[in-house]
Amino acid sequence: MVREVLASQITDTIAKLCIDACHLLPDNLVQGFHDAAEKEVSPLGKSVLLKLIDNDKIARENKVSYCHDTGLTIVFIELGQDVHVSGGDFEAAVQAGVRKGYAEGFMRKSVVSDPLLRVNSNDNTPAVVHTDIVPGSEIHITVLPKGGGSENWSTMKFLLPGEGAEGIKKFVLAAIEAAGGAACPPLTVGVGIGGSFDKVTGIAKKAILRDIGDHHPAPHIAELERELLALINKTGIGPQGYGGSTTALWVAVETYACHITALPVAVNIQCHASRRASATI
């Protein structure tokens, strides 16, 4: 049975998600700050983590953005195949929601309409929208504001298949070391393995949506996640690059089938403000 959803409802939902994502860090992430502060060996690193906790409290109490960089808006949508969107264009409704949310939430507009002319669009659109058609009659939406500092250090590479897990670990570690403190650690690191040039970067970004502690269901991938997190935290980069044992809070790996001649790997780095908000219509 087809279910009708108004375009205006999509717009209003996305507007609220934009505000919630920028103003309220996920509870799981804030708990990660607390856990890291208890274990952090560097006094300066511990001080930074405590300031991140204070910053979250200030943002919540004053209903302001946690970070001034409110990001390029990434919108993940799972659109039920039994949904009919009426009263407007689906894509336009999504973009209108981002426009409305960034205006009403008094968030910084960080998007330039043309990558070479560099003229600000003044409303944080267009957002980057990923839409998957799924079974059912609901629309599940996740808004991910992606800051420029961490996104700029994200990268991908085609390894030789024979390089295997060791090659992947070397590549991921090199990406983190290159970023240093510029990506605003402690980080959430999304790693994509497999697929094609475009698919691997997409699954790396989706990986950062996973909660801290939520390991991949495949045991060998879960083990790779643990190994990568340990290696990254041994770099000593530490919170905000000031040194310490907490360079990353979490590493999540997603995989996809790939060609017999290829081993594509992507690293999507997320700063300590790993913001996101979800809702189902």
Side-chain angles (χ1 to χ4, degrees), residues 81-243:
Q81 63 186 15
D82 297 325
V83 171
H84 171 64
V85 177
S86 62
D89 177 77
F90 174 74
E91 174 74 17
V94 173
Q95 300 294 347
V98 173
R99 192 176 302 115
K100 180 181 179 183
Y102 273 73
E104 293 180 352
F106 301 101
M107 277 103 75
R108 194 184 81 180
K109 318 304 188 293
S110 304
V111 174
V112 292
S113 301
D114 185 288
L116 296 181
L117 298 178
R118 313 302 293 181
V119 177
N120 199 300
S121 69
N122 291 318
D123 60 11
N124 225 61
T125 68
V128 176
V129 183
H130 301 279
T131 304
D132 292 323
I133 306 299
V134 299
S137 57
E138 295 181 329
I139 306 175
H140 185 70
I141 304 169
T142 297
V143 167
L144 171 71
K146 194 66 172 65
S150 58
E151 188 77 347
N152 286 345
W153 290 99
S154 300
T155 185
M156 74 84 60
K157 184 179 182 180
F158 279 90
L159 303 182
L160 296 174
E163 292 182 77
E166 290 305 312
I168 291 168
K169 285 185 277 188
K170 288 179 183 177
F171 174 64
V172 173
L173 198 59
I176 301 303
E177 290 175 334
C184 290
L187 311 170
T188 298
V189 183
V191 180
I193 305 172
S196 56
F197 178 82
D198 53 327
K199 183 69 174 181
V200 72
T201 55
I203 61 175
K205 182 163 261 96
K206 273 194 173 181
I208 63 177
L209 299 178
R210 259 202 270 148
D211 282 341
I212 294 172
D214 183 10
H215 279 291
H216 193 282
H220 68 294
I221 301 301
E223 181 59 26
L224 179 60
E225 292 171 339
R226 295 185 187 95
E227 291 175 359
L228 284 170
L229 181 61
L231 288 169
I232 290 169
N233 284 331
K234 285 179 181 177
T235 62
I237 295 167
Q240 295 295 292
Y242 289 120

